[in-house]
Amino acid sequence: MRITGISTHVVGTPWRNLTHVLVHTDEGLTGVGETRMLGHTDALLGYLREAEVNHIAGSDPFAIEDLVRRMKYGDYGRAGEIVMSGIACVEMACWDIKGKALGVPVWQLLGGRANAADPRIKAYANGWYTVERTPEAFHAAARRVIERGYRALKLDPFGTGSFELDHAETTRSLALVEAVRDAIGEENELLLEMHGRFSPATAIRLAREMEPFRPSWLEEPVPPENLKALAKVAARVNMPVATGERIHDRIEFRELFESQAVDIIQPDVGHLGGISETRKLAATAETHYVLVAPHNVGGSVLTAANLQVAGCTPNFKILEHFNDFADAEIKKVVKGAPEVVDGYFTLSDAPGLGVEFDVDAAAEFPQQRAHFDLWAEDWHKRDGAPRGSRP
């Protein structure tokens, strides 16, 4: 079997473009992969056009390690977000083809279920708080998440916070988290996101003030470039620290593990080079007693790919999911889209990734500008409207 070529299809929403890559073969089998880009979709498509000629066409889709190595190192330049995301899309699609050809799900090819007695993967909701930034609105929105069956949710309550957060915004953020905790009850998980907003001193202060609401983790408290700053926070807060979504090569996680500044890593399968790269990283994390909770802001194909990793990873914690609350209509572009029931995904036994991309349905969602600025007023509404720039 040989790859004859690829085709790309962008599913657009006001705040995110989801790039899908179909890998075609001379035996009629087709696989699909997906990633989500912010502001770099055209760059990704340009890279894929060149990679198709230089590396992909004519390759054996079963020889995934060889293809990934050639795409990563064969152009000599150091691979960053664009290249690793392109690799991820093609790599996922090759796993999809391999699973379909052999009649088994990808997780089976990666070692089988880590928990054979329970095929469920816990989910947490994101993108649910596209409401006015008041305790009453957040409380009502959080209740809807629990009523939908989720047992965990995440939020960034800090508005446009950058390095510091003044007294008024601190009080407002605390009120939002208090309202959410009241809405979801004591038994459900509340995950606290900081999006790399703060200086270490501010992150530590805010984390301590949030302790009464028992967040299950503190995510990206400081910008991701400085591991010593992260270690400073981790040493002074009373909750697990999570990070990793903006690291695009598993090798770069080495210093993060050595620093012991993280309890939960959050690799993005769509940016890290795909399924096998993420599985290798998860195995390394296991040797450091670190849990894995992937960053998952994509659509149903990317969610399905994450579930393949989840199913065979002993140190897997929980999977992020946007698609029940933020532009949920895009689920129609995938047949067999994974669904959350009573707070969990069920690991599919279907061959490959277990989903099929619907090209005709995808055409209803053309590529958009997809504006998203985390430092703009009301960014959390995710409507794509420009509201100013970062202070």
Side-chain angles (χ1 to χ4, degrees), residues 334-357:
V334 171
K335 298 175 182 176
E339 296 286 355
V340 175
V341 178
D342 294 331
Y344 292 83
F345 292 103
T346 297
L347 198 60
S348 172
D349 289 318
L353 297 182
V355 296
E356 293 293 335
F357 183 68

Side-chain angles (χ1 to χ4, degrees), residues 303-326:
T303 298
N306 273 288
L307 289 171
Q308 308 306 315
V309 176
C312 61
T313 300
N315 52 324
F316 199 93
K317 176 177 172 58
I318 196 169
L319 182 60
E320 184 171 24
H321 194 228
F322 273 79
N323 300 319
D324 282 331
F325 300 98

Side-chain angles (χ1 to χ4, degrees), residues 245-319:
E245 70 182 66
R246 287 188 269 185
I247 302 177
H248 306 128
D249 189 327
R250 62 183 169 85
I251 296 169
E252 295 177 8
F253 277 86
R254 177 180 57 82
E255 291 182 25
L256 185 61
F257 290 137
E258 289 175 353
S259 73
Q260 297 192 6
V262 65
D263 304 287
I264 300 144
I265 57 166
Q266 300 173 294
D268 190 312
V269 176
H271 293 322
L272 195 76
I275 290 170
S276 52
E277 290 292 286
T278 306
R279 182 64 191 95
K280 291 174 185 177
L281 175 64
T284 305
E286 188 180 4
T287 68
H288 291 84
Y289 314 127
V290 170
L291 298 177
V292 179
H295 178 248
N296 179 39
V297 193
S300 296
V301 172
L302 193 52
T303 298
N306 273 288
L307 289 171
Q308 308 306 315
V309 176
C312 61
T313 300
N315 52 324
F316 199 93
K317 176 177 172 58
I318 196 169
L319 182 60

Side-chain angles (χ1 to χ4, degrees), residues 2-8 20-25 28-33 56 59 61 67 89-94 96-97 100:
R2 293 288 162 178
I3 297 172
T4 57
I6 65 173
S7 57
T8 56
H20 297 80
V21 177
L22 294 176
V23 173
H24 307 279
T25 69
L29 280 176
T30 298
V32 63
I56 302 168
S59 294
L67 180 56
C89 291
V90 174
E91 192 260 12
M92 283 178 224
C94 287
D96 193 26
I97 290 168
K100 289 174 180 175

